[in-house]
Amino acid sequence: QVQLVESGGGLVQAGGSLRLSCAASGIIFSINVMGWYRQAPGKQRELVAQMTSGGTTNYADSVKGRFTISRDNAKNTVSLQMNSLKPEDTAIYYCNADIKRKVIGNPTNYWGQGTQVTVSS
């Protein structure tokens, strides 16, 4: 089986920084897109940032200039550096990846278990 395991969440004051990390493990042939989503209480899950294996990035407008996504393709990891955090960034952050386990076939989308980020004002 494939697992995505996140780490790095926590409580921080507004203006502070946190770094989230996610590692994919299991039988993996390739990973195309890896990224982060978040879900705040009472709201829908939304894309925060994602990166293709070739390095193309996509950010939500609300985090541009504050968050930076990075990947290590050799280690199947993705990280999210979050700076200048705001109370509205408070949410559960989920790692997400499109993973191919074999040469032939379509990728399968996987989710991590989520990590809580709380930003106090």
Side-chain angles (χ1 to χ4, degrees):
Q1 265 293 9
V2 170
Q3 281 190 316
L4 300 179
V5 179
E6 302 113 332
S7 61
L11 172 64
V12 65
Q13 288 188 330
S17 299
L18 282 175
R19 184 176 181 86
L20 305 182
S21 296
C22 171
S25 63
I27 299 175
I28 296 171
F29 174 73
S30 66
I31 303 177
N32 182 14
V33 182
M34 291 189 85
W36 295 90
Y37 287 71
R38 68 186 181 187
Q39 187 166 19
K43 295 188 177 181
Q44 288 189 330
R45 191 172 297 189
E46 63 176 1
L47 173 69
V48 177
Q50 60 186 187
M51 178 181 278
T52 68
S53 56
T56 300
T57 59
N58 181 31
Y59 291 93
D61 288 342
S62 59
V63 307
K64 284 180 180 177
R66 300 188 298 123
F67 292 9
T68 302
I69 190 169
S70 60
R71 278 179 68 167
D72 185 328
N73 292 331
K75 296 182 178 179
N76 293 329
T77 60
V78 64
S79 297
L80 186 69
Q81 178 66 41
M82 304 185 294
N83 298 329
S84 302
L85 283 160
K86 305 175 181 179
E88 50 263 43
D89 294 318
T90 296
I92 299 175
Y93 284 69
Y94 296 91
C95 180
N96 179 267
D98 287 334
I99 298 175
K100 287 187 68 174
R101 302 186 67 196
K102 300 178 180 179
V103 174
I104 298 174
N106 295 321
T108 299
N109 191 253
Y110 291 89
W111 291 93
Q113 80 284 358
T115 185
Q116 178 70 47
V117 171
T118 303
V119 184
S120 63
S121 57

